[in-house]
Amino acid sequence: MNRRGDAVTRGRGESRYIPASPRLRVTLSSLWESFRVAGGSLRSNKMRTLLTLVGIVVGVSAVIAVVTIIKGLDQTVATTFSSQGSTVFTVSKRPLVITSREDFIKFNKRKDITLDDAESIIRLCNSCWRVGMAVATRQQVKYGDQKSDDVFARGLTPSMFDIENVQIDAGRIWTDTEGAATREVAVIGPDVLQNLFGGARPDQVLGKQIRVGGIEFRIIGVSIAQGKIFGQSRDNFVFMPFQTFQKINGAHDSINIHIQVPTADTLEEARDQVRAIMRNRRGKTFDDEDDGFSMDSQDVFLDLYKKATSNIYLVTVGVAAISLVVGGIVVMNIMLVSVTERTKEIGIRKAIGARQKDILTQFLIEAVTVTAIGGAIGVGTGFGLAYLISFAIGFPLLFSIGSAVMGVGVSSVVGIISGLWPAWRAARLDPIEALRAE
């Protein structure tokens, strides 16, 4: 043995030296030969190869489609509920999410949130950047003979347009003067525009009179569409001045106070200040566990969504993964049939010097090659299926390189696992018995 090469024994007592680099070339040449033989075998048995591919393609397509669709849905939900970013929170009488009747009864006994509460926050909260007020109800909206039921009618202060990032497509929002004068002016959503005015352009309806709950309002603005979430439109609304809403519906209902801070870093500081202001107004002491009001951000909806869908996600991916397992079983069965059909071929190869390692490598390469090809086809098919579903449902599609790599990688692993037993059986065949096979 020298330091430049490896010793290789040839016969009894005879050895020769192969330098490391030539030995690598021999190994690569042997692997290439195995790939070539495996490729020839796959081409010569097209039906068997096709059946193997189908099992893998179906499994990988199912997994890729499910993962892609769920990621798209997750992004849609996160974007929708985080449209205000991490700089906005709400003060209200009841939490945004109530999960039991008992909690609803308990929270309903709290004092209403009033205009005085909002003014105290505006005056005393140094970390609060914008403060807006909102009240809402459901109303029927009419224009001539056309009507739209169950429209979300909201009374807002002008700052709410900035806090909620509502953008105007045509027209304008009302001024502070119009609000203080309780003018009957309104900004409508695209759904109301479509339902009441058909195919009219937003600028064509400005100045027209609509009836909201029997009261006439003049349209001064039309907002840009915000889309749907879980099949529910976010554009079926009429916004009116906060003071006008209270004049029409009364000022006895609890209001919601929306607070925005300049940056996410100051959010907790603002929350602490608002909590102190509100607890002081309600005469709360350190012994009182209930603040007497609720403070929530849009994260509460994200947390609820994640809790509701986490198990569904696992089950859905698990069901899709079963298809991959079935595909692996198909690969194993077809490879076992291949070993049986090619017993004589294996005997001939072993008789002329092929080692168990060579036979094992050849059959493993066949299994991995066909499953890797099936995985690549399955990735394309899965993304195509996900595109069709996302187009039909109406949410964005997220193409993930990681999902593609996962699909091909998992299918290759399936090929290795499924091909091990057939490859081992082929490698263990006795050459004499194999040559006798018909």
Side-chain angles (χ1 to χ4, degrees):
M1 171 80 70
N2 60 31
R3 284 186 291 179
R4 299 181 57 193
D6 299 322
V8 179
T9 301
R10 300 182 62 196
R12 183 176 298 174
E14 181 183 354
S15 65
R16 65 184 178 89
Y17 294 95
I18 299 180
S21 181
R23 185 180 184 189
L24 177 61
R25 285 198 295 270
V26 169
T27 302
L28 293 176
S29 176
S30 176
L31 280 174
W32 170 249
E33 180 65 18
S34 296
F35 271 108
R36 193 184 64 80
V37 173
S41 173
L42 294 175
R43 285 192 300 272
S44 63
N45 297 276
K46 293 182 177 61
M47 181 57 68
R48 186 175 66 207
T49 303
L50 178 63
L51 291 174
T52 308
L53 281 173
V54 167
I56 294 299
V57 167
V58 170
V60 173
S61 297
V63 172
I64 293 296
V66 167
V67 171
T68 303
I69 290 169
I70 289 176
K71 282 190 174 183
L73 180 60
D74 287 347
Q75 187 195 50
T76 301
V77 173
T79 302
T80 300
F81 288 140
S82 301
S83 58
Q84 299 172 357
S86 56
T87 60
V88 176
F89 64 96
T90 304
V91 178
S92 56
K93 179 178 179 178
R94 293 173 287 270
L96 296 177
V97 176
I98 301 176
T99 57
S100 70
R101 182 175 177 273
E102 291 75 15
D103 284 344
F104 178 79
I105 294 173
K106 181 181 75 172
F107 296 137
N108 223 32
K109 293 178 180 178
R110 289 172 171 175
K111 290 182 179 180
D112 289 341
I113 306 295
T114 65
L115 184 59
D116 290 338
D117 292 326
E119 290 174 346
S120 295
I121 291 173
I122 294 172
R123 187 175 63 255
L124 300 173
C125 180
N126 298 325
S127 299
C128 299
W129 181 31
R130 293 188 180 115
V131 178
M133 290 162 277
V135 281
T137 187
R138 295 281 179 177
Q139 294 285 358
Q140 183 186 77
V141 181
K142 287 184 175 183
Y143 175 72
D145 295 333
Q146 302 298 316
K147 66 178 180 178
S148 182
D149 294 320
D150 200 33
V151 176
F152 196 37
R154 295 183 76 194
L156 307 175
T157 55
S159 57
M160 288 296 297
F161 285 86
D162 291 322
I163 293 174
E164 294 188 342
N165 194 28
V166 177
Q167 301 180 29
I168 302 300
D169 188 10
R172 62 179 178 86
I173 66 173
W174 54 87
T175 64
D176 289 332
T177 302
E178 288 173 320
T182 64
R183 297 284 177 80
E184 285 85 12
V185 292
V187 173
I188 64 173
D191 285 3
V192 176
L193 173 69
Q194 178 63 34
N195 294 337
L196 298 186
F197 300 97
R201 296 196 314 269
D203 59 296
Q204 291 177 326
V205 304
L206 299 179
K208 293 187 180 298
Q209 300 284 336
I210 59 175
R211 298 185 70 84
V212 182
I215 307 296
E216 281 198 350
F217 281 80
R218 178 169 57 90
I219 299 174
I220 62 171
V222 180
S223 75
I224 293 175
Q226 301 179 73
K228 296 181 178 181
I229 180 67
F230 299 129
Q232 297 296 316
S233 174
R234 295 185 291 154
D235 299 314
N236 188 31
F237 61 77
V238 172
F239 293 162
M240 65 187 70
F242 178 82
Q243 298 90 333
T244 305
F245 184 99
Q246 286 201 316
K247 182 186 75 172
I248 295 171
N249 297 282
H252 54 274
D253 289 334
S254 182
I255 68 173
N256 292 330
I257 305 172
H258 298 256
I259 299 157
Q260 186 174 29
V261 295
T263 63
D265 295 337
T266 59
L267 182 68
E268 284 305 314
E269 181 182 351
R271 286 172 64 96
D272 290 341
Q273 289 184 13
V274 170
R275 178 176 283 109
I277 294 167
M278 292 294 293
R279 283 180 64 91
N280 183 61
R281 288 185 57 81
R282 277 155 176 69
K284 297 291 183 179
T285 66
F286 289 109
D287 297 329
D288 295 321
E289 294 183 2
D290 185 18
D291 289 334
F293 58 92
S294 295
M295 287 198 300
D296 295 301
S297 65
Q298 296 296 318
D299 290 341
V300 69
F301 292 112
L302 288 175
D303 292 340
L304 182 65
Y305 168 78
K306 289 175 182 177
K307 289 177 182 177
T309 59
S310 58
N311 291 334
I312 297 175
Y313 179 86
L314 292 175
V315 170
T316 306
V317 172
V319 170
I322 291 174
S323 300
L324 262 183
V325 175
V326 173
I329 294 172
V330 171
V331 172
M332 181 180 295
N333 286 335
I334 292 178
M335 291 300 294
L336 284 171
V337 172
S338 176
V339 170
T340 303
E341 290 179 349
R342 296 160 62 189
T343 300
K344 193 167 186 178
E345 172 197 329
I346 295 169
I348 293 172
R349 290 198 65 197
K350 297 189 84 171
I352 60 176
R355 298 166 297 172
Q356 285 190 6
K357 179 182 176 182
D358 298 325
I359 303 298
L360 181 68
T361 302
Q362 178 194 337
F363 277 86
L364 271 180
I365 287 175
E366 284 188 30
V368 172
T369 300
V370 73
T371 51
I373 293 172
I377 297 173
V379 167
T381 306
F383 279 138
L385 181 61
Y387 173 80
L388 293 176
I389 295 175
S390 66
F391 178 78
I393 296 176
F395 59 80
L397 184 66
L398 291 183
F399 288 105
S400 170
I401 299 299
S403 297
V405 172
M406 180 193 72
V408 177
V410 169
S411 62
S412 298
V413 170
V414 168
I416 293 173
I417 295 174
S418 304
L420 270 175
W421 170 243
W424 183 80
R425 282 196 59 181
R428 295 276 296 176
L429 284 175
D430 182 85
I432 303 300
E433 295 298 326
L435 286 170
R436 290 176 180 171
E438 293 295 335

